[in-house]
Amino acid sequence: MAQFVHPASQDITLAGVLAALSDPMRLRIVKSLLGQADCMSCTAAAPCPDMAKSTLSNHFRVLREAGLIRTTKKGVEHQNTVREADLNARFPGLLKAILKHAEEG
Amino acid sequence: MAQFVHPASQDITLAGVLAALSDPMRLRIVKSLLGQADCMSCTAAAPCPDMAKSTLSNHFRVLREAGLIRTTKKGVEHQNTVREADLNARFPGLLKAILKHAEEG
DNA sequence: TTCAATAGTCCCATACTTCCGAACTATTGA
DNA sequence: TCAATAGTTCGGAAGTATGGGACTATTGAA
């Protein structure tokens, strides 16, 4: 899946993670993804239906480049998952501590 | 001290806190402030000596408006403290979880 | 096969932020 | 009263985000 840029887990930075999650839309995307056991397509995880496709795509790119999610292509959809294990290995407890406080939904 | 804008603790938002801390310089400022028992002036907490005064001032404004620090004026200096109690009341465990991973220094 | 539909990405113009230097304010101390 | 110090505010240049439209890739149906 060389078409997507996924940083190695040791390259995930604290500032990068915080910057990625500091956008309420992206926080909601990550929360959606964690709520699902399975992968989700971009549109399925979209925080609001009226967001432009390009903007949504951009948010996913930011999350990917920050190392928060991994995207693989399956047919016409892209499957996204939170890189929970990598994140917990790099910054133990951080993701949980942040998402605990993300608004209910 | 009406000259500074300090949000009420219930107005502190998760996105605001994350955005404020997603800048490495501001993360270092907060880390410096927490390392001190006492208040610190802006320049004393400055993350690097060659940063423009206006930039530093702006970082402190962002931290203030996000509710991370409180600033009071004392003579020619401004005294800054982290609003630890407010933050812990609003988002228990968050500040600690983030700063635990901030680079050593 | 070809064609339409679907899911995302890429590109670009506009709008918003951030950074810094310079000018400004406020306080202190000589 | 004047110089020095600590920050703030302003304005322009550089960077970043947004969303519309064109583009690519895959699927499923005719």
Side-chain angles (χ1 to χ4, degrees):
Chain A
M1 297 293 170
Q3 57 196 312
F4 293 115
V5 181
H6 295 118
S9 35
Q10 74 271 15
D11 294 331
I12 299 175
T13 67
L14 181 59
V17 170
L18 296 181
L21 293 180
S22 69
D23 182 293
M25 294 301 161
R26 290 195 290 264
L27 199 55
R28 287 166 65 184
I29 291 172
V30 171
K31 203 174 158 80
S32 282
L33 290 176
L34 278 176
Q36 295 293 110
D38 248 5
C39 294
M40 279 176 108
S41 70
C42 296
T43 44
C48 47
D50 54 331
M51 170 174 286
K53 273 196 310 175
S54 52
T55 305
L56 186 61
S57 175
N58 186 55
H59 283 317
F60 276 92
R61 187 181 52 74
V62 172
L63 289 171
R64 226 162 20 231
E65 289 178 6
L68 278 156
I69 65 170
R70 172 170 286 119
T71 305
T72 55
K73 198 164 179 181
K74 177 140 188 200
V76 82
E77 287 187 349
H78 291 196
Q79 298 194 309
N80 300 284
T81 31
V82 178
R83 295 174 61 183
E84 243 180 311
D86 286 342
L87 288 161
N88 286 331
R90 182 86 176 82
F91 301 119
L94 181 65
L95 190 63
K96 195 174 160 202
I98 292 176
L99 282 157
K100 186 174 71 180
H101 302 298
E103 82 206 47
E104 309 306 313
Chain B
M1 296 294 168
Q3 59 196 312
F4 294 115
V5 180
H6 294 119
S9 34
Q10 74 270 15
D11 294 331
I12 299 175
T13 67
L14 181 58
V17 169
L18 296 180
L21 293 180
S22 69
D23 182 292
M25 293 301 161
R26 290 195 290 264
L27 199 55
R28 286 166 66 184
I29 291 172
V30 171
K31 204 173 158 79
S32 283
L33 290 176
L34 278 175
Q36 294 293 109
D38 247 6
C39 293
M40 279 176 108
S41 71
C42 296
T43 44
C48 47
D50 54 333
M51 170 174 286
K53 273 196 309 176
S54 53
T55 304
L56 187 60
S57 176
N58 186 55
H59 283 316
F60 275 92
R61 185 181 54 73
V62 171
L63 289 171
R64 229 167 12 235
E65 289 178 6
L68 277 156
I69 65 170
R70 172 170 285 119
T71 305
T72 55
K73 200 164 178 180
K74 178 143 187 197
V76 82
E77 287 187 349
H78 291 198
Q79 298 193 309
N80 301 282
T81 32
V82 177
R83 295 175 60 183
E84 242 180 313
D86 287 342
L87 288 161
N88 286 331
R90 182 86 177 80
F91 301 119
L94 181 65
L95 190 63
K96 195 175 161 200
I98 292 175
L99 282 158
K100 184 174 73 180
H101 303 297
E103 82 206 47
E104 310 305 314

